[in-house]
Amino acid sequence: MASTPAPPQAPPKPTWDPRRPQAPFPWLRPTIRIRLTLLYGGMFLIAGILLLSIIYLLAAQAISTGNQPLFKIVAYQELKVSSGNCPAINTTSLSLPDFNDAIAHCVDQQRQTALDNLLSRSLLALLGLAVIAFAFGYAMAGRVLSPLGRITRTARQVAGSDLSRRIELDGPDDELKELADTFDDMLERLQRAFTAQQRFVGNASHELRTPLAINRTLLEVHLSDPGAPVELQQLGKTLLATNERSEQLVEGLLLLARSDNQIVERKPVDLAEVATQAVDQVHAEAEAKGVEIRGERKPAVVQGNGVLLERIALNLVQNAVRYNVSENGWVEVNTEVQHGQAVLTVSNTGPVVPAYEIDNLFEPFRRLRTERTGSDKGVGLGLSIVRSVARAHGGHILARPREGGGLEMRVTLPL
């Protein structure tokens, strides 16, 4: 008996992603507010040093008298001079030239002492003013950048699929207001484009429903005729399967167009009940394929649309059953609350999925390999719908390959 070949191993995860290069020294990249603060404080410090140097030079020039003293004693008799700062002139044994030299030296020394005191006190004052300047520069930088913070918050809200947000910045017609107005105009155009796109998809899906329903009815009527030839019945079954696939495509497009919008009406929905209903709907298909469905579904109540959340669980469980191994396959469906968020996890055995192909699974009409193109496995919108519905509820979905084959889908939704 031939031995069963071992399943291929998943490729090792890359330790470096070339699409997102990391800075070698992140701490050397300060924020723009810190850089503006350093710029303001640095300019003030440079200006203070220049001003201090000019004052010092002018003061030195003003009190400088050259090498000649201001006065000279030419004669004296019984003259007694006492000084605490110039002890050299306190003695009476000095000759007249030595006495004049001592006085000149004392004056030069006092002049240098005055300049040194001026310099030290000026440096202390400059240091204190520099600290105040940096603090003032930090506050002013925050005030100057506050419009940018408002623009950033609006952009973050727009990133959550809320294109109705506008900045509407008040103030003078400066560069920041021009930037905000330009951003508002761009949002207005984007909102019109997305609205037109969603309206087109919705209208097209609605218009296609009627002829597909008529075709299905006609085919079912012909197939119900017991006197129909075998060839005609076989053709009718083929056309009926094709029609059913087209109906799934239209329903998927309509759901995808709806789920790209934010959910306005929200109600409490337990992910455990949603996952249980999805498992019940796929149970027969799983038994037919010999796939075991297991897992622990703990209560995890979120605010959202129950129909759309049920579609998330159903699509994930259906994919996990359909794209599984032929023998000893299993699907694990878990729900729980982690870190203040509701989590739905669907894991399954299956073929090996390269990590670099994960993003392609969420694109509409994109499948990983030819085994995903069969008409009995869907129309290629399942994971696209899941991602759109998760985003519409303020959550996200993360997929990662399992060792030995299969995928792990993790949907995280806010409570």
Side-chain angles (χ1 to χ4, degrees):
M1 180 180 296
S3 59
T4 303
Q9 298 295 325
K13 297 182 179 179
T15 58
W16 175 75
D17 188 356
R19 295 173 296 180
R20 300 183 62 183
Q22 299 293 331
F25 302 102
W27 53 273
L28 290 178
R29 301 177 62 87
T31 62
I32 187 171
R33 186 174 185 180
I34 298 298
R35 282 181 282 177
L36 286 177
T37 302
L38 295 176
L39 178 62
Y40 295 156
M43 292 181 65
F44 174 82
L45 193 60
I46 293 175
I49 293 175
L50 291 177
L51 180 61
L52 177 59
S53 301
I54 293 173
I55 292 176
Y56 182 82
L57 293 176
L58 293 177
Q61 184 179 7
I63 65 175
S64 177
T65 58
N67 296 327
Q68 299 296 328
L70 296 177
F71 60 91
K72 182 187 297 185
I73 300 176
V74 295
Y76 70 91
Q77 185 177 5
E78 298 294 331
L79 178 64
K80 295 182 179 180
V81 180
S82 177
S83 174
N85 295 327
C86 299
I89 65 174
N90 291 334
T91 178
T92 58
S93 60
L94 291 175
S95 61
L96 185 58
D98 293 336
F99 183 76
N100 287 327
D101 292 340
I103 290 178
H105 178 71
C106 181
V107 171
D108 291 339
Q109 187 177 8
Q110 292 299 316
R111 180 183 60 190
Q112 188 62 39
T113 301
L115 290 176
D116 293 341
N117 289 335
L118 175 64
L119 181 61
S120 60
R121 293 181 181 181
S122 298
L123 289 176
L124 290 177
L126 179 62
L127 180 61
L129 290 176
V131 174
I132 297 175
F134 277 103
F136 183 75
Y138 185 80
M140 289 302 298
R143 185 174 180 85
V144 170
L145 294 175
S146 58
L148 291 179
R150 185 173 175 180
I151 295 175
T152 302
R153 290 189 296 270
T154 303
R156 188 176 293 115
Q157 293 170 350
V158 170
S161 301
D162 188 5
L163 293 176
S164 62
R165 297 285 182 175
R166 297 294 183 270
I167 301 173
E168 297 178 353
L169 186 64
D170 299 328
D173 293 332
D174 54 4
E175 290 81 0
L176 291 177
K177 190 173 187 307
E178 183 179 359
L179 174 62
D181 293 342
T182 304
F183 192 78
D184 286 341
D185 294 339
M186 181 188 66
L187 291 179
E188 184 68 26
R189 293 192 297 271
L190 284 176
Q191 186 179 18
R192 289 198 299 266
F194 276 99
T195 302
Q197 179 185 11
Q198 291 169 356
R199 187 184 301 113
F200 171 77
V201 174
N203 293 337
S205 300
H206 281 295
E207 292 296 329
L208 289 174
R209 275 178 166 180
T210 301
L212 290 175
I214 294 175
N215 290 341
R216 184 180 71 252
T217 303
L218 293 176
L219 290 172
E220 289 175 350
V221 169
H222 284 290
L223 289 176
S224 62
D225 184 8
V230 178
E231 295 81 3
L232 186 59
Q233 289 185 357
Q234 184 65 32
L235 178 61
K237 292 180 181 180
T238 304
L239 293 176
L240 188 61
T242 303
N243 192 85
E244 182 181 0
R245 177 177 172 83
S246 300
E247 286 182 335
Q248 293 178 0
L249 175 61
V250 171
E251 290 293 335
L253 287 174
L254 181 59
L255 184 61
L256 185 62
R258 289 176 176 174
S259 61
D260 278 338
N261 296 322
Q262 285 288 331
I263 305 302
V264 179
E265 296 183 359
R266 296 174 180 263
K267 296 180 180 180
V269 180
D270 191 353
L271 283 185
E273 296 180 0
V274 169
T276 301
Q277 292 178 2
V279 170
D280 292 340
Q281 295 183 46
V282 188
H283 186 70
E285 184 178 356
E287 284 189 345
K289 294 195 63 174
V291 176
E292 176 190 2
I293 301 181
R294 62 194 187 192
E296 183 179 5
R297 289 172 281 282
K298 299 179 181 179
V301 181
V302 299
Q303 298 293 326
N305 185 289
V307 177
L308 294 179
L309 292 177
E310 183 179 352
R311 176 61 61 176
I312 286 182
L314 182 60
N315 286 357
L316 291 180
V317 177
Q318 280 181 343
N319 285 347
V321 171
R322 293 174 180 176
Y323 307 116
N324 215 304
V325 294
S326 56
E327 295 181 359
N328 299 326
W330 54 263
V331 175
E332 186 172 344
V333 183
N334 298 320
T335 59
E336 58 184 340
V337 176
Q338 290 184 355
H339 308 292
Q341 292 182 320
V343 179
L344 167 65
T345 306
V346 179
S347 305
N348 68 293
T349 53
V352 175
V353 180
Y356 57 84
E357 290 284 355
I358 293 296
D359 293 339
N360 293 334
L361 300 179
F362 294 95
E363 296 298 329
F365 309 107
R366 294 286 296 275
R367 299 179 179 88
L368 183 62
R369 299 187 188 91
T370 56
E371 64 261 29
R372 285 183 175 262
T373 61
S375 60
D376 60 332
K377 294 185 177 182
V379 295
L381 286 174
L383 293 182
S384 301
I385 294 174
V386 171
R387 183 176 62 178
S388 298
V389 173
R391 288 178 176 176
H393 285 80
H396 62 274
I397 179 172
L398 177 66
R400 63 179 182 181
R402 294 182 60 259
E403 294 185 1
L407 290 172
E408 178 182 339
M409 297 289 184
R410 181 183 179 90
V411 180
T412 304
L413 300 173
L415 295 177

